[in-house]
Amino acid sequence: MISSSFPIVAYLYWMSLLVVTTGSLVFAILAFRRQKPQFAAVSGGALAAALMIAALPSPGGATVSGVLLGMVALGLAVVGGGPAALLALRLATNNSVPQGQHGGILVDNGGAPVTPEPGRASGVDAGAPDAPDAPDAPDATGVPDGEGTTGTHGTFVHEVLRGGLMIGILERLAVAGAILAGFPEAIAVVVAIKGVGRFTELATAEARERFIIGTLASLIWACACAALVQIALT
């Protein structure tokens, strides 16, 4: 009688884990597409619930269920980290930093007035994880930002930390994949590559704050998703 209950317990364990993780992925997709921080918060809560379920003693039977969970968790790591990072940045900065058109932020050169060259792009790629394009975001002067605008004191306003959407996706894919493959040491390589690539863009306090908060939020999310699978399988 006791042995016959084991398949039922295993079925309930893996089904509940898959349902909660899939729910987190659904809300992460909604947050990613609609840019709603409420959906990102719900997705994070569902991920926390999935981690608590995974922490329960595993009843076994993880051959197929473990593979499915790994696929869902990997998708959740890639998609959900962007909204989670944006939510963390919103809570930290209260939207006080003007957004650029290419996923970065607008900063001025902090020096003498500079005249932008016509038609020339002025930013480099983004350090903030997966910030999608924000068209017609106002700059510090209230003028819709383009490739370069003039700030309040005549300094040239340009966009830094561009390209965060794709960089964040690749970053979390590499981190979660490395953990699931049993090679967590690769995380150091990913962080080193990103840090070296962004070093020249971190001259302003706003850029440094956005880079650190966004990167940590993105990495924590990816590690939590990968840890979910590792905990469930052990």
Side-chain angles (χ1 to χ4, degrees):
M1 184 70 177
I2 296 178
S3 61
S4 64
S5 66
F6 284 160
I8 299 176
V9 174
Y11 175 80
L12 292 175
Y13 175 85
W14 288 107
M15 278 300 299
S16 59
L17 194 54
L18 285 169
V19 167
V20 175
T21 307
T22 303
S24 179
L25 176 59
V26 170
F27 278 101
I29 294 173
L30 290 174
F32 182 83
R33 293 180 63 87
R34 300 186 180 182
Q35 299 302 303
K36 298 291 186 181
Q38 298 87 347
F39 291 140
V42 174
S43 178
L47 176 58
L51 285 168
M52 288 189 289
I53 296 174
L56 297 174
S58 176
T63 305
V64 178
S65 301
V67 174
L68 292 175
L69 180 62
M71 295 172 62
V72 175
L74 186 61
L76 178 60
V78 173
V79 177
L86 288 177
L87 178 59
L89 287 168
R90 175 172 296 189
L91 294 174
T93 65
N94 197 25
N95 289 332
S96 60
V97 181
Q99 304 295 308
Q101 289 183 334
H102 306 285
I105 57 174
L106 297 177
V107 298
D108 61 48
N109 288 347
V114 179
T115 303
E117 297 180 13
R120 180 180 176 182
S122 60
V124 259
D125 64 344
D130 346 316
D133 291 349
D136 300 326
D139 64 12
T141 64
V143 180
D145 85 286
E147 302 300 347
T149 54
T150 304
T152 51
H153 300 290
T155 54
F156 182 57
V157 176
H158 66 291
E159 184 176 353
V160 298
L161 303 178
R162 297 171 46 168
L165 175 61
M166 185 54 63
I167 290 175
I169 289 175
L170 295 175
E171 173 188 73
R172 291 187 297 276
L173 179 63
V175 169
I179 295 176
L180 292 176
F183 188 56
E185 295 83 359
I187 299 176
V189 178
V190 175
V191 174
I193 292 174
K194 185 176 182 180
V196 171
R198 294 298 198 191
F199 180 75
T200 57
E201 302 179 64
L202 305 180
T204 63
E206 295 88 352
R208 290 192 296 270
E209 180 185 38
R210 187 175 179 87
F211 177 81
I212 293 172
I213 295 174
T215 298
L216 287 178
S218 180
L219 290 176
I220 290 172
W221 183 275
C223 290
C225 293
L228 170 65
V229 182
Q230 298 284 50
I231 294 172
L233 293 177
T234 54

